[in-house]
């Protein structure tokens, strides 16, 4: 139990009256941590930590990687800024060695400060000092870690930009003719045939780099630490990350395999307005970033830029590209879906050169002041239209149907109609795309009149639904005609379940292999439902492992 005498030796509290010290000690938590344990995480609510013994490392996430930015030794505090200004923690605190800390809640601190105004003054001075240090760190964090040099309409350059943005890596991009290039590119500028190229701060210059090579140089995880796992999760979208969070938190050895970057299709959403717990909405990449941090904090491994070559449903092995082999007691398929391809004249030739499937927030700068077009009438198209409307001169939603309300949430319909630079072309479709080395115009056909008109276009983004890409799965995993994985009751009805027990709700035709999220056959395709299914999958994993331990399947 914490005493007033123990707080009295802390320099910030040493001049306080005994009554004030007792008020601080009265409800404070007396916490002991082992090395590596967190006292508080970046983004947590205000509280004040007092180091009574040992040392806390101060940890902040910079460019997608947790970095040590300072330390708090015995007698020092952490949390002055949150406790004074009512903000979330801008940096976490992790035990560098066995540590004892006092945790003083905000309400308790302010009650003591009301008794001793000098406490509020001294804490305010400390908070202002901390803000100065944070401003310096934040300024450094905003500096680009990567500089990309490439042609504006090069699909390979687009892939690098999307990869960096999805992994929360700050970058700047320049074309070879940019007047400011000399200020930002160090050394000889590569020739056109060597683009795209990039430079990493305090690192090498890369010419036409692969994503895995880039990921490894940036310190991102690409290689598994173990060879055997309780559950191997394939796919790092909302369903996969939710499964990772619950699996790791419940003691399962958990690894996620993601071929690109965490977030999946949801990660490209500019704004999700109707996700529970975020009254002001949240972007897809921010949601993915938070889920990723949470999964890693709880002990899950998340590997990126790795592709699955083969699953052996009998041996329960997962083979990765490069030949790495993982042994899995259970497997969770959370591979999501891919944007549905369209057949439009001139379309494939201009993909990545002004035509894009989906959209990431990093594409906003490429649309500045331009007239752009979006194909689709679902929530993804509506969210993208709202986001791009803040950058493009005009945004035209090209919709085959006769009303947005048939496929878009009403709140989004209202927002779209409220934007003066968003136009909706109902009963219309893109008949052709035009341009030599990049998109310059589209031809729109009005299906009500049959007339076609040409409009200048600086970008065409496609949001017309998605398909499951599951041809790579072994034949033992039963799918429907469109490639969606059958589970539970839908599977049993087909006669492909051979066990004496009923399949679990998310269990596939192979016992111990589960599917969740958009890849699973289900009429509901929402971020919230994917997250729910990811957590449910772990509950079924536990039940299956319990049966295995009992000698059953």
């Amino acid at each position: 139990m914490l005493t007033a005498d123990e707080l009295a030796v802390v320099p910030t509290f040493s001049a306080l009256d005994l009554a004030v010290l007792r008020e601080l000690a009265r409800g404070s938590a007396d916490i002991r941590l082992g090395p590596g344990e967190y006292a508080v995480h970046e983004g947590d609510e205000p509280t004040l930590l007092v180091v009574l013994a040992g040392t806390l490392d101060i940890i902040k996430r910079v460019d997608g990687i947790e970095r040590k930015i300072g330390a708090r030794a015995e007698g020092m505090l952490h949390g002055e800024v949150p406790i004074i200004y009512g903000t979330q923690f801008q940096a976490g605190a992790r035990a560098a060695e066995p540590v004892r800390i006092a945790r003083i809640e905000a309400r308790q601190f302010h009650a003591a400060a009301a008794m001793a105004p000098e406490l509020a003054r001294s804490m305010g001075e400390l908070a202002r000092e901390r803000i100065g240090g944070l401003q310096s760190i934040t300024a450094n964090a905003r500096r680009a870690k990567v500089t990309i040099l490439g042609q504006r309409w090069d699909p390979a350059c687009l892939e690098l930009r999307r990869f960096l943005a999805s992994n929360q890596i700050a970058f700047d991009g320049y074309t070879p003719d940019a007047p400011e290039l000399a200020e930002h590119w160090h050394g000889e500028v590569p020739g056109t045939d060597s683009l795209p190229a990039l430079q990493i701060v305090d690192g090498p210059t890369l010419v036409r780099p692969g994503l895995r090579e880039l990921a490894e140089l940036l310190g991102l995880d690409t290689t598994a630490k173990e060879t055997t796992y309780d559950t191997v999760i394939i796919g790092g979208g909302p369903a996969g990350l939710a499964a990772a969070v619950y699996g790791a938190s419940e003691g399962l050895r958990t690894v996620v395999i993601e071929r690109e970057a965490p977030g999946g299709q949801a990660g490209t959403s500019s704004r999700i307005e109707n996700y529970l717990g975020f009254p002001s909405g949240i972007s897809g990449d921010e949601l993915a970033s938070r889920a990723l941090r949470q999964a890693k904090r709880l002990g899950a491994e998340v590997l990126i830029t790795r592709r699955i070559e083969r699953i052996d449903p009998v041996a329960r092995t997962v083979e990765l590209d490069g030949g790495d082999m993982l042994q899995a007691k259970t497997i969770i398929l959370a591979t999501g879906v891919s944007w549905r391809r369209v057949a439009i004249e001139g379309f494939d030739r201009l993909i990545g050169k002004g035509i894009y499937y989906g959209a990431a927030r990093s594409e906003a700068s490429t649309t500045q002041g331009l007239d752009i077009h979006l194909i689709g009438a679902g929530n993804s198209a509506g969210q993208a239209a709202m986001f791009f409307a803040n950058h493009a001169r005009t945004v035209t939603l090209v919709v085959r149907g006769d009303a947005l309300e048939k496929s878009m949430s009403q709140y989004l319909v209202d927002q779209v109609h409220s934007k003066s630079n968003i136009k909706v072309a109902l009963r219309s479709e893109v008949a052709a795309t035009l341009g030599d080395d990049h998109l310059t115009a589209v031809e729109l056909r009005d299906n009500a009149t049959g007339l076609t008109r040409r409009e200048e276009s600086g970008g065409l983004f496609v949001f017309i639904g998605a398909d499951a890409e599951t041809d790579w799965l072994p034949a033992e995993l039963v799918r429907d005609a469109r490639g969606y994985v059958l589970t539970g009751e839908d599977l049993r009805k087909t006669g492909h379940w051979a066990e004496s027990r009923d399949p679990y709700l998310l269990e596939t035709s192979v016992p111990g292999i589960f599917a969740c999220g958009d890849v699973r056959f289900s009429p509901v395709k929402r971020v919230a439902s994917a997250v729910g299914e990811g957590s449910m999958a772990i509950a079924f994993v536990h039940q299956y492992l319990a049966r295995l331990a009992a000698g059953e399947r």
Side-chain angles (χ1 to χ4, degrees), residues 43-257:
D44 281 358
E45 294 302 309
T47 190
L48 184 65
L49 304 181
V50 184
V51 182
L52 302 174
T55 302
L56 288 174
D57 286 338
I58 307 306
I59 306 297
K60 186 167 181 62
R61 193 172 182 83
V62 180
D63 287 326
I65 300 171
E66 288 189 338
R67 303 184 188 278
K68 177 183 173 181
I69 62 170
R72 301 288 186 272
E74 183 175 333
M76 299 178 72
L77 311 178
H78 181 54
E80 303 95 319
V81 174
I83 207 77
I84 291 297
Y85 295 103
T87 62
Q88 295 177 333
F89 272 87
Q90 298 302 304
R94 184 177 65 199
E97 58 186 342
V99 169
R100 183 188 177 206
I101 59 173
R103 181 186 177 104
I104 302 172
E105 299 301 332
R107 184 174 180 179
Q108 181 185 355
F109 169 82
H110 289 295
M115 298 169 60
E118 66 272 22
L119 174 60
R121 284 194 297 272
S122 62
M123 196 63 63
E125 291 172 1
L126 283 172
R128 285 188 288 275
E129 290 178 14
R130 296 291 187 218
I131 287 176
L134 283 170
Q135 286 174 335
S136 174
I137 292 167
T138 302
N140 288 331
R142 287 199 187 105
R143 294 174 186 164
K145 185 174 180 62
V146 176
T147 301
I148 301 176
L149 175 62
Q151 304 291 354
R152 180 180 180 186
W153 306 111
D154 183 357
C157 197
L158 169 68
E159 183 182 39
L160 289 172
R161 291 199 304 267
R162 283 192 169 187
F163 175 78
L164 292 170
S166 298
N167 284 286
Q168 310 288 305
I169 305 295
F171 67 93
D172 287 330
Y174 301 94
T175 57
D177 58 353
E180 66 273 30
L181 177 62
E183 300 174 26
H184 301 277
W185 190 268
H186 305 290
E188 184 179 353
V189 176
T192 304
D193 57 349
S194 297
L195 300 181
L198 57 80
Q199 289 183 334
I200 300 174
V201 172
D202 299 325
T205 297
L206 305 177
V207 173
R208 298 184 179 227
L211 295 185
R212 189 177 310 163
E213 177 188 11
L214 177 56
E216 289 170 351
L217 286 171
L218 291 170
L220 303 176
D221 293 330
T222 62
T223 304
K225 295 181 176 66
E226 309 287 342
T227 57
T228 302
Y229 292 88
D230 294 316
T231 188
V232 173
I233 302 166
I234 303 174
L241 290 175
V245 166
Y246 282 88
S249 69
E250 294 172 15
L252 298 177
R253 287 174 298 171
T254 304
V255 64
V256 178
I257 313 296

Side-chain angles (χ1 to χ4, degrees), residues 404-476:
L404 286 177
E405 287 81 358
K406 292 183 177 180
S407 52
M408 189 181 292
S409 295
Q410 188 60 49
Y411 80 89
L412 265 177
V413 174
D414 295 339
Q415 289 181 359
V416 165
H417 289 318
S418 72
K419 281 282 191 179
S420 60
N421 64 333
I422 296 180
K423 300 184 289 184
V424 181
L426 298 173
R427 295 177 290 273
S428 300
E429 59 185 294
V430 176
T433 55
L434 308 171
D436 295 326
D437 60 345
H438 66 276
L439 179 72
T440 57
V442 297
E443 289 187 354
L444 300 183
R445 180 168 53 243
D446 187 326
N447 291 327
T449 63
L451 298 176
T452 299
R453 67 183 184 277
R454 180 175 298 185
E455 294 185 359
E456 290 186 1
S457 183
L460 177 61
F461 300 85
V462 182
F463 301 88
I464 57 167
D467 292 316
E469 293 185 351
T470 54
D471 292 344
W472 61 276
L473 290 174
E476 291 88 342

